[in-house]
Amino acid sequence: GQDGGSRGGGHLGEETSFRWQCVEQPIGKLLFRRFLEGEPGLAAAGALWEELEAYERCEEAERGAMAANLRGRFFTVGGAQHCGFLSAAATAPPTGEAPPTGEATPTGEGHAHGV
C-alpha cells in the first residue's frame, strides 16, 4: 500500500489523481475549468473538454455532425480553437470511421445539448 495519506474514506491513492480531483469532484472540476479558461494557451483545451462532454450527452443522431464540428474546430490546423498540443493519434478519426466529408457543419443548431 501507499503511505497512509488517505483522508477521504475508501479512496486509497485516488485523492491525488487528476481524474479524482478534476473530473469526479465537482469543485475540483469547476476550479480546473476556470484555470483553463484563464490561461490563454489552455483555453482551447477547456473548450474542447466541455464540447466532448456535450458530445457524450447528445442524441445518437446528432453525433456525426457534432464530431465533424469538433474535428474542424479543435483538431484542424487553422480551426477556431485548434489544439496543437494533441498528437496525431488523438485527433485521428476512430478506427473504421471515414474522415469527415463536405457536410462537416451542423445545420444551424449550434450546440444543441440533449434536445
Side-chain angles (χ1 to χ4, degrees):
Q2 295 204 353
D3 240 354
S6 177
R7 286 193 221 151
H11 298 289
L12 297 176
E14 288 184 300
E15 309 77 31
T16 60
S17 75
F18 173 81
R19 175 168 282 293
W20 177 249
Q21 291 183 352
C22 300
V23 177
E24 295 174 7
Q25 295 298 310
I27 190 67
K29 185 175 188 175
L30 175 67
L31 292 173
F32 188 68
R33 289 258 174 100
R34 286 188 177 168
F35 164 74
L36 291 174
E37 291 168 3
E39 292 292 319
L42 300 176
L48 173 60
W49 186 358
E50 186 175 327
E51 290 301 316
L52 287 172
E53 286 186 339
Y55 174 84
E56 289 178 359
R57 292 188 307 267
C58 78
E59 299 293 326
E60 192 66 36
E62 300 172 317
R63 287 191 170 202
M66 241 180 140
N69 187 35
L70 282 167
R71 283 189 200 107
R73 181 174 166 192
F74 298 105
F75 301 165
T76 305
V77 176
Q81 292 180 296
H82 179 242
C83 294
F85 53 85
L86 294 172
S87 70
T91 61
T95 305
E97 183 177 322
T101 61
E103 299 202 5
T105 58
T107 57
E109 294 176 2
H111 294 94
H113 297 214
V115 176

